[in-house]
Amino acid sequence: MNTEIALRDILSFHVGGSLVELTDQPIQTVQVSPNAAARSVDLNGHYVNGQLYAQHFRLAAPKSDVPVLFWHGGAMTGVTWETTPDNRPGWSSIFLRSGYDVVVSDAVERGRSSWSPWPQIYDSAPLYRTLEDAWHLFRMGPKNGFAASPANRRAFDKQRFPIESFDQLCAQFVPRWTTNADLSVAAYQKLVDRFEKVIIVAHSQGGWFAQRVASLMPERVQAVVLVEPAGAPAMNESALAAASRVPHLYLWGDYCDDHAAWIPYKSDALAQVERLQALGGTAESIDLPKQGIFGNSHMPMMDNNSAEIADIILGWLARHAAPVTASGSTHAAE
Amino acid sequence: MNTEIALRDILSFHVGGSLVELTDQPIQTVQVSPNAAARSVDLNGHYVNGQLYAQHFRLAAPKSDVPVLFWHGGAMTGVTWETTPDNRPGWSSIFLRSGYDVVVSDAVERGRSSWSPWPQIYDSAPLYRTLEDAWHLFRMGPKNGFAASPANRRAFDKQRFPIESFDQLCAQFVPRWTTNADLSVAAYQKLVDRFEKVIIVAHSQGGWFAQRVASLMPERVQAVVLVEPAGAPAMNESALAAASRVPHLYLWGDYCDDHAAWIPYKSDALAQVERLQALGGTAESIDLPKQGIFGNSHMPMMDNNSAEIADIILGWLARHAAPVTASGSTHAAE
């Protein structure tokens, strides 16, 4: 039975980005409303580029001063963290009910963060994720187990993703670009900068961004949780030293050897854990199958044991992200 | 002072859409993560197309069984209804605090609803909204009053939009297509279909969709509020008769004669009010300047009197959208 969520308020905002001007574009004549006359459209002018959308839930009585920022993966949006595709409460609700203020954002170019014209502003074309691609990359089943008809799909035997809701997951996909990493990191830094301290829980590509931002702003990031991150960013000695000041938890599901992408991503992250530990940092990698928890996909926040995985993270945060204190301007954290 | 918002839960979901398959697309080789090896990308396969994202806030103790669905305008997302660009509570929070469950959605192809490849799936190119376009179309000031530098902009004298936050408004813009009206209406119908009855509060282009859906599903729409709608859909006799069963409120800000688009949009809507009234329907148009309320832009939910405008709508709903009742499976409405 879910308890109610008492909120002080629900805020949303865009952070980051800057004005870009387009010039010398041809004037178009376009039908912009189904039964209105066509009108001229002038692409010349100013656009906001590189902004990031976030929705901030503030509890009436948070147990912690430090909000949890949820950062999604590639071709996804903040919807990742909301209700699961089979209608169970997502981690955003679970963390709210655990007493954390929560910030769910969309990465630059995704969802409500918007995207900019190309080739005029972005310098490459977008990529789109097919159901076939997701079936294999997200480790739902063997690559040849996908079929358009749900009845004909073959998932892994112990699969914990609610496989009958796979199309609901795929309805969440958004196009992505591969050339906006710097814009994205800059906007994420602006997001972190809205708060005194943050905890970041990040998934997949978002985990890459989170590790990067933790190393750039170690005094602001109380802890970082990397859920199946897309590897680890290359870091020089000083970036690594900075990162080692931030507790890192890495978490992996099952079947990681089934898709060629996950083998190097996982080994890069494990090597990063060793580097952080060698510098005296707190860094841990949890391999769920090695703990006897089998069948998790790339989407543990949606799998049928998503609440248990959340508990693992909440427990780790309680141990490693400093004692949480009632609100005020002082922070026990550090 | 804002009271707290006690929620039973926060749900999100995608509705509508269907699987589309692309075939015969060339294989690409793409760098998809900043420091991973390039990998091959195959556009062939299945996509979800035409889905719509919604976030549903359910109060612990709603005063009404009937949720308020907020539908945004062109080149915007559900962010329209959230926090104002100058950080005041948006109408979604105001309606929650007034006891209504609230559903904030993104139209098909916008925000978290995602968009599909073109020309492969969509049959036209996207449009982008410049700051210049918005300055004039949203009636911030005279067309030649825009400048890239906020200090050099000239707004209308009585302007109620928080003009220093104009760039924050523009950060909310998303690209749009002009050829997806049928897909959008279909998805909005699926959204309405998730509920027994709904109230729809819609803005601009969303107002066009809302009038259309009200005429297609009059038994499900308890009332429809059109905030500066982009005209009225053409309706045959039976559609008009159906629409006349649903109370309609139209609401207009100031400066409507300043941009050529608003003159026909407004006169189309006023003609629709007369047609609905002639059939015995409840239809009303509120012209704010005629009531002595001057200076509202195209974005009254963000203007400095946004809470007062919300009160006008809440009052009208209390009179025309049937008595609100405590929850349960029975409905006093009809």
Side-chain angles (χ1 to χ4, degrees), chain A residues 43-118:
Chain A
L43 277 179
N44 296 293
H46 289 81
Y47 299 84
V48 182
N49 178 52
Q51 73 274 35
L52 178 151
Y53 166 80
Q55 189 173 38
H56 183 192
F57 297 93
R58 295 202 301 178
L59 291 166
K63 290 183 191 156
S64 172
D65 285 351
V66 182
V68 173
L69 276 49
F70 284 108
W71 296 2
H72 64 79
M76 311 285 292
T77 70
V79 177
T80 293
W81 310 103
E82 299 180 344
T83 310
T84 69
D86 60 340
N87 296 315
R88 290 171 291 117
W91 283 5
S92 56
S93 290
I94 290 175
F95 277 63
L96 281 168
R97 289 195 171 97
S98 298
Y100 286 99
D101 286 356
V102 158
V103 180
V104 178
S105 53
D106 294 347
V108 170
E109 83 187 28
R110 321 271 168 85
R112 290 172 166 180
S113 293
S114 193
W115 46 277
S116 295
W118 82 92

Side-chain angles (χ1 to χ4, degrees), chain B residues 76-128:
Chain B
M76 311 283 294
T77 70
V79 176
T80 294
W81 310 103
E82 298 180 344
T83 311
T84 70
D86 60 340
N87 296 314
R88 290 171 291 117
W91 284 4
S92 56
S93 290
I94 290 175
F95 277 64
L96 281 168
R97 289 194 170 97
S98 298
Y100 285 100
D101 286 356
V102 158
V103 180
V104 178
S105 53
D106 293 348
V108 170
E109 83 187 28
R110 321 270 168 87
R112 290 172 167 179
S113 293
S114 194
W115 46 277
S116 295
W118 83 91
Q120 296 90 346
I121 296 180
Y122 289 173
D123 56 11
S124 68
L127 285 182
Y128 306 93

Side-chain angles (χ1 to χ4, degrees), chain A residues 2-16 19 21 28 30-36 39 41-48 51 53-55 57 60 77-79 82-84 87 89 93 96-97 104-106 109-118 120 126-133 137 146-149 153 167-168 170-179 181 194 205 208-209 230 232-234 259 261 265 268, chain B residues 2-16 19 21 28 30-36 39 41-48 51 53-55 57 60 77-79 82-84 87 89 93 96-97 104-106 109-118 120 126-133 137 146-149 153 167-168 170-179 181 194 205 208-209 230 232-234 259 261 265 268:
Chain A
N2 291 322
T3 54
E4 69 179 53
I5 299 172
L7 296 172
R8 177 174 161 192
D9 49 32
I10 306 160
L11 305 164
S12 75
F13 51 85
H14 284 78
V15 289
L19 286 193
E21 185 176 12
Q28 302 171 16
V30 182
Q31 184 95 12
V32 296
S33 186
N35 58 358
R39 69 168 204 244
V41 172
D42 184 352
L43 277 179
N44 296 293
H46 289 81
Y47 299 84
V48 182
Q51 73 274 35
Y53 166 80
Q55 189 173 38
F57 297 93
T77 70
V79 177
E82 299 180 344
T83 310
T84 69
N87 296 315
S93 290
L96 281 168
R97 289 195 171 97
V104 178
S105 53
D106 294 347
E109 83 187 28
R110 321 271 168 85
R112 290 172 166 180
S113 293
S114 193
W115 46 277
S116 295
W118 82 92
Q120 295 91 346
L127 285 182
Y128 306 93
R129 176 159 293 158
T130 62
L131 271 69
E132 285 83 348
D133 184 22
L137 183 65
F146 177 80
S149 165
R153 295 174 190 169
D167 291 11
Q168 270 292 312
C170 299
Q172 300 181 11
F173 296 164
V174 293
R176 68 196 190 283
W177 280 259
T178 57
T179 47
R194 297 273 291 222
Q205 185 192 37
W208 191 95
F209 292 131
H259 188 293
Y265 284 155
D268 284 358
Chain B
N2 292 321
T3 53
E4 71 179 52
I5 299 171
L7 296 172
R8 178 175 160 190
D9 50 32
I10 306 161
L11 305 163
S12 75
F13 51 85
H14 284 78
V15 289
L19 286 193
E21 185 176 12
Q28 303 171 15
V30 183
Q31 184 94 12
V32 297
S33 187
N35 58 358
R39 69 168 203 245
V41 171
D42 184 352
L43 277 178
N44 295 293
H46 289 81
Y47 299 85
V48 182
Q51 72 274 34
Y53 166 80
Q55 188 174 37
F57 296 93
T77 70
V79 176
E82 298 180 344
T83 311
T84 70
N87 296 314
S93 290
L96 281 168
R97 289 194 170 97
V104 178
S105 53
D106 293 348
E109 83 187 28
R110 321 270 168 87
R112 290 172 167 179
S113 293
S114 194
W115 46 277
S116 295
W118 83 91
Q120 296 90 346
L127 285 182
Y128 306 93
R129 176 159 293 159
T130 62
L131 271 69
E132 285 83 347
D133 184 22
L137 184 65
F146 176 80
S149 166
R153 294 175 190 168
D167 291 11
Q168 270 293 313
C170 299
Q172 299 181 12
F173 296 164
V174 294
R176 68 196 189 283
W177 280 258
T178 58
T179 46
R194 297 272 291 222
Q205 185 192 36
W208 191 95
F209 291 131
H259 189 294
Y265 283 155
D268 284 359

Side-chain angles (χ1 to χ4, degrees), chain B residues 284-301:
Chain B
E284 190 175 340
S285 177
I286 296 180
D287 197 321
L288 292 171
K290 286 190 182 161
Q291 301 204 356
I293 302 173
F294 298 99
N296 277 106
S297 72
H298 182 51
M299 309 304 293
M301 72 296 286

